[in-house]
Each structure stands twice: as C-alpha cells, then as structure tokens.
Amino acid sequence: MDKLTTVDGRAYPFGMKNVDTDIVIPAHWLKTISRAGLGKGAFEVLRKEPGNVFDDPDYAGSPILIAGDNFGCGSSREHAAWALGDLGIKVVIAPSFSDIFSGNAFKNGILTVVLPQEAIDRLMEVAKTDPIHVDLEQQSVTTQYQDRFSFEIDPFRKHCLLGGLDEIGLTLDEADVIDAFEAKDAALRPWLVPAVA
C-alpha cells in the first residue's frame, strides 16, 4: 500500500447522496479478482449520461471525490474501493459513509474524510474551478481561498495510511519481534521445529 500523507489536485464535485456500492461498481464487474481495470467500470451507469462529471476532461485524473451523505451504502463489495483506487481516487470527502465501505476504503489506502454538509457545499463550489489540498498529518482540508476544514480520524487508521501499512505491512513491521519469539520458542521446544533436509 502506498503511503498517504498529502493529496493535492482537482476533485470530482459529485455530491450525490446515498450512493450504494452497485452505483460505484456494478455487479457484473465482480467476476474478477484483479483490481486492474476496474476504474473503467466505476460509476458505469452514471457515465452513460451525457455531461457526467467522471468523463469531463476538466476532472480527468482527479485524486479526490466529493460525495453526498451515506456514501458507499448497500452491499459490502470491496470491488467498490478497488474501482475508486483504479480510477485514481485517494480521498473521498462526504458527510457520512457506510461503515463497511469506509473499512474497505481504508484497507485499500483510500482516506475517507467526514465533514459537515456546509463544508461539502463549499468544497463542491471550489472543486468546479480550483484544486483542493488534503493533509492527513494535520487532519485538514484546505483551499487556496483560506478555507480550512478539520476532520477526525481513528489514530490507528491514520498511522497505517501515513505509513502505507496494510495487514501484511503491519505484520512485517514486527518481523524482529516475531523472529525473536520463534528463536526463543525453538530453543524451549525443539521438537516442534521441523527438520530441514
């Protein structure tokens, strides 16, 4: 997982409320176990509409998505986070998220930022013309117009995102402790250590 410290850039001014995971990535994309290419299916139904924000060249490659209340509701498909990641989104800002989606996003290196609706409304306006800056260390979302919105985040999630640590990374971070335990255990109970041919 890549480290996430700051994210700068344009943001998709999406704003739709109650977006379920079937809207994020339709069910027929769930046949794959690969994350690659899922960005093409992200918001597929909405992208069929002319003038949709996801195919607007002004927002191409935007690393931030500004959404409405209850983003990621519906089924627990992890493919939704995979699709957003493959689309290049590193941060989703909304008034609230489904708990399962928020967990899946975190496990895939995507920061979910909860801000009040007034902040969302302001960021939606700024996103139409200017970039937005998200600073995980400072736990803030800022604009060049002196807007500053602070957000809360679980300290463990913050630590993992800043360090680029998924479950495997967390385990590897403890490699010295694990090695020391295994050596001590092998000395105490040698009959459990498999013979090397």
Side-chain angles (χ1 to χ4, degrees), residues 18-32:
N18 300 313
V19 173
D20 68 37
T21 52
D22 194 51
I23 294 293
V24 178
I25 187 76
H28 67 89
W29 286 87
L30 306 185
K31 298 172 187 169
T32 182

Side-chain angles (χ1 to χ4, degrees), residues 96-113:
S96 68
F97 295 91
S98 154
D99 286 343
I100 294 173
F101 171 80
S102 186
N104 285 338
F106 156 67
K107 289 178 180 181
N108 286 280
I110 298 171
L111 173 63
T112 54
V113 174

Side-chain angles (χ1 to χ4, degrees), residues 45-127:
V45 173
L46 300 177
R47 290 169 104 167
K48 291 178 182 175
E49 298 174 13
N52 75 82
V53 71
F54 298 105
D55 291 326
D56 185 328
D58 287 345
Y59 303 105
S62 293
I64 303 167
L65 173 69
I66 303 170
D69 200 30
N70 197 28
F71 186 82
C73 57
S75 72
S76 62
R77 63 187 71 165
E78 190 171 6
H79 287 66
W82 294 358
L84 291 177
D86 195 54
L87 192 60
I89 293 172
K90 299 179 184 314
V91 179
V92 182
I93 305 171
S96 68
F97 295 91
S98 154
D99 286 343
I100 294 173
F101 171 80
S102 186
N104 285 338
F106 156 67
K107 289 178 180 181
N108 286 280
I110 298 171
L111 173 63
T112 54
V113 174
V114 175
L115 290 177
Q117 188 61 52
E118 299 77 32
I120 298 297
D121 294 341
R122 173 62 183 152
L123 292 172
M124 289 279 290
E125 280 304 309
V126 172

